[in-house]
Amino acid sequence: VPIRDAVDLRLAVRILLADDDRVFQLMLGRILPKWGFQPIVVGNGEEAWQHLRCLEGPSIAILDWVMPLADGLEVCRRVRSCNLARYVYLLLLTSKATSQDLMSGLEAGADDYLAKPVNPDELRLRLRAACRVLESEGRHRQIAENASDGILILEQGSRIHFANNAAGAIFGYQRNELMGLDFGTLAPGFARH
């Protein structure tokens, strides 16, 4: 559903905050609802992963780089390596500030990166940008899913990352059954360059 007003979109967006700093959890736990978001607060990477992998999980995750059980980079990698039915916008927080650190975070799958200590005004603006990305991604996903032509997105060679219903009908599968398959099994002789 296209939403023109950013405030309306934020009301629909649940945000996961994963940070082991209790003071930071309390501070953002109070600020995010004032901005219209619905926070889910956890203290370690494993809890974060459990929420994010759920079918109805949050669409934005604010992840501390350093936290127990699984760090923010590991959570980013897990989210990007599985075929979630929705896009999750990942914002990595850290006091690490070198160019190499920034590249490591982005290579792990983070969409954005914010240095600690966090400036609340900067965080609010970055979350607004995240909402715009999610709105755009939602529109494109709706178009692709409802297209009458078969649409597949391949990654890692020829592994199917996305398939719409029409692609499933063309190949005689349910769309979710196509996810993760090698396209070469459906089209022998296919070679991706």
Side-chain angles (χ1 to χ4, degrees):
V1 175
I3 299 173
R4 302 201 192 299
D5 186 354
V7 173
D8 291 339
L9 179 59
R10 286 192 305 251
L11 291 173
V13 175
R14 290 182 300 141
I15 295 179
L16 176 76
L17 170 61
D19 196 304
D20 60 336
D21 181 336
R22 188 70 180 135
V23 172
F24 188 70
Q25 288 179 351
L26 291 171
M27 180 188 78
L28 276 187
R30 285 191 204 122
I31 290 174
L32 291 171
K34 289 178 183 177
W35 295 341
F37 295 102
Q38 300 171 6
I40 300 167
V41 181
V42 299
N44 66 64
E46 282 301 323
E47 286 180 278
W49 171 237
Q50 294 307 315
H51 283 280
L52 292 170
R53 70 186 221 175
C54 291
L55 184 61
E56 299 296 322
S59 299
I60 297 177
I62 301 171
L63 305 168
D64 188 18
W65 185 310
V66 178
M67 55 184 165
L69 302 181
D71 64 19
L73 293 182
E74 176 60 25
V75 175
C76 288
R77 286 185 196 103
R78 289 181 188 181
V79 168
R80 297 298 180 235
S81 67
C82 71
N83 285 321
L84 293 177
R86 71 190 184 289
Y87 188 79
V88 177
Y89 190 93
L90 302 172
L91 175 62
L92 194 59
L93 302 178
T94 185
S95 55
K96 297 175 185 265
T98 69
S99 177
Q100 184 59 43
D101 292 328
L102 173 61
M103 289 188 298
S104 295
L106 296 174
E107 285 175 347
D111 292 290
D112 201 354
Y113 180 97
L114 190 58
K116 282 186 167 184
V118 172
N119 175 322
D121 292 328
E122 186 176 353
L123 176 60
R124 184 179 50 79
L125 293 173
R126 289 176 187 263
L127 291 175
R128 185 184 305 164
C131 288
R132 288 192 306 266
V133 168
L134 291 172
E135 183 179 6
S136 177
E137 194 280 335
R139 277 193 307 264
H140 289 97
R141 182 175 294 268
Q142 186 176 17
I143 291 167
E145 287 176 351
N146 294 309
S148 58
D149 293 328
I151 298 174
L152 298 173
I153 297 175
L154 307 180
E155 66 180 17
Q156 297 178 355
S158 62
R159 189 172 62 97
I160 298 172
H161 177 72
F162 171 84
N164 67 354
N165 287 328
I170 290 167
F171 292 107
Y173 288 83
Q174 294 294 315
R175 64 182 271 183
N176 62 335
E177 295 173 328
L178 290 172
M179 306 302 199
L181 289 180
D182 185 306
F183 185 67
T185 62
L186 301 174
F190 173 78
R192 185 173 183 191
H193 301 285

